[in-house]
Amino acid sequence: MKVRLAQETDIDQLIKMRWDFTLEDYPEMGERTEYSTFQKECGDFLKEAIVSGDWFIWIAENDGRILSHIYIELLKKVPRPGRITHPFAYMTNVYTVPEYRGQGVGSKLLSKVDEWAADMKYEFIIVWPSETSIEFYGRNGYTHCEEPMEKHF
């Protein structure tokens, strides 16, 4: 298994994985959306994300097949006097294909992301886990923090 950052050549697989990931929890979404429409929107997003460097999409692959992925967006903080200001990382879209779950693939990928974030001196990684993923993050050293506030529009 190889862990690396995604490239433009990975986009088709990443689109299909995002589709599958969504339909796994929300099957009705597939009934309301044409795959080709989603493919265009997601493809445009991924091309921009990879080229711009605004997102870091980490993948675990085996023989050219992506088995797992983690999306990281960096959020820059306003500088504060008296200390060096480092960005923090927002982690989302963490997914391992079903037949590779429970084999350590996701944990190996997450470990690489953690190592990378520490090397880059990011202040912290934040993730909003689903009910089913809380145990996964806990096994990998993540802890609950105070809930952020939000306002819906």
Side-chain angles (χ1 to χ4, degrees):
M1 182 180 77
K2 181 179 178 182
V3 174
R4 63 174 175 82
L5 286 168
Q7 303 166 352
E8 286 188 66
T9 55
D10 299 312
I11 288 176
D12 288 339
Q13 283 189 76
L14 292 169
I15 293 168
K16 180 68 167 85
M17 290 176 77
R18 180 64 174 159
W19 178 265
D20 293 345
F21 180 20
T22 301
L23 297 189
E24 194 173 307
D25 291 330
Y26 308 100
E28 70 279 3
M29 298 295 282
E31 299 166 9
R32 297 193 309 239
T33 305
E34 290 288 327
Y35 184 77
S36 60
T37 302
F38 173 74
Q39 186 177 31
K40 167 86 171 89
E41 179 185 11
C42 193
D44 290 346
F45 169 83
L46 289 169
K47 285 176 193 162
E48 174 66 22
I50 290 170
V51 170
S52 71
D54 291 337
W55 286 85
F56 297 87
I57 304 167
W58 286 90
I59 64 170
E61 69 169 347
N62 190 28
D63 294 327
R65 180 179 181 209
I66 301 174
L67 309 177
S68 186
H69 58 60
I70 294 175
Y71 288 54
I72 299 286
E73 182 180 24
L74 294 184
L75 300 169
K76 296 176 183 163
K77 296 169 56 181
V78 177
R80 181 176 302 274
R83 69 179 220 192
I84 297 173
T85 305
H86 298 284
F88 68 92
Y90 166 63
M91 180 169 37
T92 189
N93 200 30
V94 178
Y95 179 73
T96 300
V97 293
E99 61 267 30
Y100 284 90
R101 292 179 190 158
Q103 298 178 32
V105 173
S107 291
K108 287 177 188 169
L109 181 57
L110 185 56
S111 177
K112 178 65 176 177
V113 169
D114 290 345
E115 179 183 307
W116 167 78
D119 288 348
M120 299 299 290
K121 300 192 183 329
Y122 299 140
E123 191 168 334
F124 59 88
I125 297 174
I126 191 166
V127 61
W128 277 272
S130 66
E131 285 294 318
T132 58
S133 65
I134 290 171
E135 183 182 330
F136 167 74
Y137 291 110
R139 282 194 319 265
N140 286 284
Y142 284 69
T143 58
H144 281 283
C145 62
E146 291 293 318
E147 291 294 321
M149 296 176 73
E150 65 183 4
K151 183 175 182 178
H152 291 268
F153 296 99

